[in-house]
Amino acid sequence: LEVRDAGCPVGTVIEVRDLFFNVPARRKFLRAPETESGHLRLAFLAQAIAHFGIGMTLQADGRTIHALPAGGGLEDRLRDLFGRDYGAGLRTVEHQAGVVRVSGFAGVPSMARLDRTEQFLVINGRPAMAPTLARALRDGYHTLLASDRHPVVFLFLDMPPERVDVNVHPAKREVRFRNHAEVRDALVEALRRTLAHDGAA
């Protein structure tokens, strides 16, 4: 009936049902249920990783896919999502370059995948991507990966908000930077230092 701010006390449950029941033009573009479920899971993963301190549950067709407790760190969240042994291939990233801070985890080269579904970047608290960052990931791993492989990363980039334009994509999935070279260089250096320290580079 109206659009307004609303409080959401602890325990609030938000349900969306029959999302496109009266929008047939939008509904006809939906893919197979399995495909749409995959998209939903990726969207859930992005939010669960970006806000790792918040408890979240993903249910589908009456069964629980993920039940994530609140209060843990990023390492705990990744273990809950991907399994106990997953963290063995991850290396801690912690780097500050001017006003750009890069933190999180980067996978060793042997963890590389054939697609980018295990690349999660969080920019000032928002899951997002930028062409600059895609290139920086490739450059950060330099010659450590074959051209058809993509690194596994869970990285947080923090910088003054005025240096990020979030209004370049309708769903806010892509951002632009006031100084893209500054961000690119910070990410490349963060990855190279992490991998070199680990003896991978």
Side-chain angles (χ1 to χ4, degrees):
L1 299 177
E2 59 183 325
V3 178
R4 61 184 174 84
D5 291 338
C8 293
V10 174
T12 295
V13 175
I14 299 172
E15 291 188 10
V16 178
R17 298 174 183 233
D18 299 322
L19 184 60
F20 301 124
F21 81 97
N22 63 348
V23 192
R26 180 66 66 88
R27 192 171 61 235
K28 78 174 188 176
F29 284 102
L30 292 175
R31 307 297 183 203
E34 297 78 12
T35 302
E36 296 300 332
S37 293
H39 294 161
L40 288 169
R41 181 175 182 273
L42 283 176
F44 176 85
L45 289 177
Q47 296 302 323
I49 291 165
H51 307 288
F52 53 79
I54 299 174
M56 298 185 189
T57 301
L58 175 64
Q59 295 179 328
D61 300 323
R63 66 188 184 93
T64 299
I65 309 299
H66 294 293
L68 307 172
L74 177 58
E75 191 170 3
D76 300 315
R77 179 57 48 94
L78 295 180
R79 182 191 63 239
D80 292 339
L81 287 171
F82 298 105
R84 185 169 300 278
D85 297 332
Y86 192 82
L90 298 177
R91 299 297 176 261
T92 301
V93 178
E94 189 64 56
H95 181 65
Q96 182 88 32
V99 297
V100 181
R101 179 174 178 259
V102 184
S103 61
F105 294 99
V108 296
S110 61
M111 283 186 77
R113 306 295 192 238
L114 291 172
D115 58 33
R116 294 184 174 90
T117 55
E118 289 180 46
Q119 290 184 356
F120 294 89
L121 290 115
V122 181
I123 302 162
N124 285 354
R126 181 195 303 269
M129 193 34 134
T132 295
L133 300 181
R135 290 191 297 271
L137 289 177
R138 171 62 57 187
D139 292 344
Y141 277 77
H142 198 41
T143 59
L144 298 175
L145 297 180
S147 61
D148 63 340
R149 309 292 285 185
H150 303 281
V152 171
V153 294
F154 304 91
L155 296 174
F156 291 70
L157 284 78
D158 294 287
M159 64 201 76
E162 64 271 14
R163 291 178 176 262
V164 186
D165 182 357
V166 300
N167 296 309
V168 297
H169 189 283
K172 312 293 188 189
R173 284 197 297 261
E174 187 172 313
V175 300
R176 287 196 187 124
F177 303 107
R178 177 184 291 180
N179 185 340
H180 67 88
E182 170 186 62
V183 179
R184 176 202 170 279
D185 291 348
L187 181 51
V188 170
E189 183 66 15
L191 289 171
R192 289 189 177 177
R193 287 190 179 199
T194 298
L195 297 169
H197 182 268
D198 186 53

